[in-house]
Amino acid sequence: MEDVPDTQRGVAQAARTGRAPDDPDPSPGGTPGGTGPAQNGTARNGTGPTPARTAPAPDEPALSLDDAPLNRFHIKITALTFGANFSDGYHLGIIGIALTLVGPQMRLGAAWQGLLGASALIGIFAGSIVLGWAADRYGRQRLYMLDFLLIAVASAAQFFVTGPAELFVLRLLIGFGIGADYALGPTLVAEFCPRRHRGGLLASLTAMWTVGYTAAYFFGNYVIGFGGDSWRWLLASSALPAVFVLVMRVGTPESPRWLISKGRIDEARRVVARHIGPRVDFRELLRHREPAESYDYRELFRAQHRTNTVFGVLYYNCQVIPYFAIYTFLPVIMARVGLGGEDYLVGGLLNVFLLLGGVVGLWFVARFSRRGFVIWSFVVMAVMLAPIGIWPHAPTLLLFTLFLVFTFTMSASSNLDQVYPPELFPTALRSSGVGLLNGLSRIGSAIGTFLLPISLSAYGFSFSIIALAALLVIGTAVSVAWAPETKGLSLH
């Protein structure tokens, strides 16, 4: 991987190509008589004006931002975005474990337990929608710092709560910060990273969600074994990765694509020269510049973007509603089919398959088309889940095998959740679109999680599982009809 180049090299390159830093799109002409500094794309050689060079020297070919070589900065911006995904998985994983002690100590009824379980999801919805829009209007970088400051403070404050209302508010704030980062992080990664590596880097974000959830399961069960107030230490432990990420994010630059969309060409040139390299062809970026007024949220639902918006909302919800509903009530589901829902080893094996699916899914994203992967993953999940609902009294080994394959495929396909959304929208709408899809998916997840125990009680196990499988069938149909192929797409 290349070393991060010095900003002055970018300035020197601009001089060699005849373009001043504040003149991104040169036109013929210059200072009369060849006196004074070069202007309007004219380079001065001491004998009069000469036409600006429109291409780099033969040994220094121009590169588009989408085709720049992968370097340390690309890896760093991706690693810094791991934080939200790890935190989301970790927070979702620890709350269910912590409630086993919080519930009896605070004498929580079913309503409070449900609210505390869903609080972070509600916060994620609000954070994704509000700050996704704000990032398109005011920029990504500043909010990218502030959201993790909020997560760190609210996470640590959980240690001191005295009642369920305080815990509910803090987890709303944590969810708000995580939701904001869901809109901001993948957008920044997509806008900086070369298209050849974009899918793998974005998919690794979702893999970190699985790592966070799995870590919460094993670490949470260990900590909670101490009893007493150990739940306070477990909940507050989420502040440690948040503080680490916050410190490491200091110095993160603004997205050059967003800067260009706002007409701040000189700033964009400096960011790219310092972090990507001096040979990026800005003319290619400027040709696809979006008008500044395109940040209006209504643009997502107008003819040009409506299909991608509707597809993104439906595909995302059809995938995550079964995921969150089943894994929130995993012990109940496992017990209903005689799979030892309370058994630590069974839960551990399922979490291992979640982790394996997330890792192998990285290869799937790199190997297969976006459209093909999303369609066939829905098909496999539906085929695995439906028989569990149709024949819940089948041999235990068969049911467990079906559920392991479902778990593996669900985890692998969820890698698309951070890959597809940023590729569906242009720069001026990208953070808003990503925020909308993430936010609505969490509302869908919260509704599904709330309804599943009601459905199990009122209509029974078979009906509930078949209903979740039906959502996967709907996801298949939606993907066949509307899923675009975005792999290798040049972002504009």
Side-chain angles (χ1 to χ4, degrees):
M1 291 181 287
E2 299 181 356
D3 292 330
V4 177
D6 190 89
T7 306
Q8 294 180 354
R9 291 176 56 195
V11 176
Q13 176 68 15
R16 288 199 300 272
T17 59
R19 287 178 288 172
D22 60 349
D23 189 10
D25 194 13
S27 57
T31 305
T35 61
Q39 297 180 3
N40 298 325
T42 303
R44 184 166 182 259
N45 60 10
T47 60
T50 59
R53 288 171 57 189
T54 59
D59 60 335
E60 295 180 350
L63 295 170
S64 71
L65 186 58
D66 280 314
D67 296 316
L70 190 69
N71 66 18
R72 295 177 188 172
F73 175 75
H74 295 132
I75 303 301
K76 179 181 178 181
I77 196 71
T78 304
L80 292 180
T81 307
F82 283 162
N85 295 269
F86 180 91
S87 293
D88 186 18
Y90 190 80
H91 278 286
L92 183 68
I94 62 175
I95 187 60
I97 299 171
L99 282 174
T100 61
L101 291 181
V102 176
Q105 285 189 22
M106 294 187 178
R107 296 181 175 86
L108 301 180
W112 266 119
Q113 294 202 39
L115 283 172
L116 290 174
S119 55
L121 294 174
I122 298 170
I124 288 172
F125 163 75
S128 295
I129 298 292
V130 174
L131 292 189
W133 169 83
D136 279 337
R137 186 164 187 174
Y138 302 113
R140 286 78 156 111
Q141 184 269 344
R142 188 177 305 164
L143 298 175
Y144 190 64
M145 292 289 300
L146 293 177
D147 61 7
F148 254 82
L149 176 61
L150 175 63
I151 293 170
V153 172
S155 295
Q158 291 178 106
F159 185 86
F160 304 100
V161 297
T162 59
E166 297 171 23
L167 186 57
F168 177 75
V169 171
L170 289 174
R171 293 192 63 78
L172 275 178
L173 293 175
I174 291 168
F176 190 88
I178 292 172
D181 217 75
Y182 267 143
L184 297 165
T187 298
L188 273 175
V189 173
E191 291 179 351
F192 270 113
C193 293
R195 56 185 163 188
R196 179 181 176 186
H197 303 282
R198 187 172 63 229
L201 293 175
L202 286 169
S204 68
L205 301 180
T206 305
M208 285 304 296
W209 186 99
T210 308
V211 172
Y213 185 87
T214 304
Y217 177 81
F218 290 107
F219 181 68
N221 276 285
Y222 169 74
V223 172
I224 217 73
F226 292 99
D229 281 345
S230 59
W231 61 270
R232 296 182 183 273
W233 294 100
L234 177 60
L235 293 178
S237 67
S238 58
L240 296 177
V243 170
F244 175 77
V245 170
L246 177 63
V247 172
M248 294 302 296
R249 283 186 177 185
V250 174
T252 300
E254 183 57 87
S255 162
R257 296 183 190 271
W258 182 85
L259 290 170
I260 289 172
S261 77
K262 301 303 179 185
R264 294 158 62 176
I265 310 301
D266 193 27
E267 293 176 66
R269 188 189 303 279
R270 288 197 296 268
V271 169
V272 172
R274 180 176 180 182
H275 296 284
I276 309 301
R279 295 186 287 119
V280 171
D281 184 0
F282 264 72
R283 292 166 300 177
E284 190 269 343
L285 285 173
L286 293 171
R287 276 196 300 270
H288 302 291
R289 176 183 171 184
E290 292 284 332
E293 62 269 22
S294 291
Y295 60 72
D296 191 327
Y297 230 127
R298 290 172 295 181
E299 288 288 332
L300 291 170
F301 302 96
R302 290 175 179 155
Q304 183 179 1
H305 306 294
R306 185 184 303 131
T307 299
N308 279 3
T309 301
V310 173
F311 161 72
V313 170
L314 292 177
Y315 130 75
Y316 213 152
N317 275 277
C318 287
Q319 183 194 74
V320 300
I321 289 175
Y323 196 166
F324 278 71
I326 289 173
Y327 271 87
T328 299
F329 296 100
L330 184 61
V332 176
I333 299 295
M334 294 293 95
R336 290 294 185 99
V337 293
L339 292 175
E342 299 298 330
D343 188 88
Y344 179 77
L345 292 178
V346 170
L349 183 58
L350 287 170
N351 274 273
V352 168
F353 267 72
L354 271 178
L355 187 58
L356 287 175
V359 173
V360 176
L362 298 176
W363 181 80
F364 288 165
V365 169
R367 177 67 179 83
F368 303 119
S369 68
R370 307 282 192 263
R371 178 178 167 84
F373 188 15
V374 71
I375 291 172
W376 283 105
S377 62
F378 272 124
V379 169
V380 172
M381 287 187 291
V383 169
M384 293 299 108
L385 190 60
I388 297 176
I390 295 171
W391 191 17
H393 302 295
T396 300
L397 181 60
L398 173 61
L399 292 174
F400 193 46
T401 301
L402 290 173
F403 202 81
L404 285 176
V405 176
F406 169 82
T407 296
F408 178 90
T409 308
M410 177 66 78
S411 182
S413 65
S414 67
N415 284 332
L416 285 175
D417 294 349
Q418 302 296 322
V419 178
Y420 234 151
E423 295 178 341
L424 294 175
F425 305 104
T427 296
L429 290 170
R430 185 165 295 120
S431 190
S432 295
V434 172
L436 178 72
L437 268 55
N438 274 290
L440 291 182
S441 76
R442 291 315 186 259
I443 286 297
S445 300
I447 293 172
T449 300
F450 175 73
L451 290 179
L452 181 58
I454 297 174
S455 176
L456 287 169
S457 176
Y459 303 107
F461 177 81
S462 291
F463 175 88
S464 302
I465 296 300
I466 291 172
L468 292 175
L471 277 177
L472 298 172
V473 173
I474 293 172
T476 304
V478 167
S479 299
V480 169
W482 292 328
E485 183 49 64
T486 59
K487 186 174 183 177
L489 181 72
S490 181
L491 299 184
H492 302 315

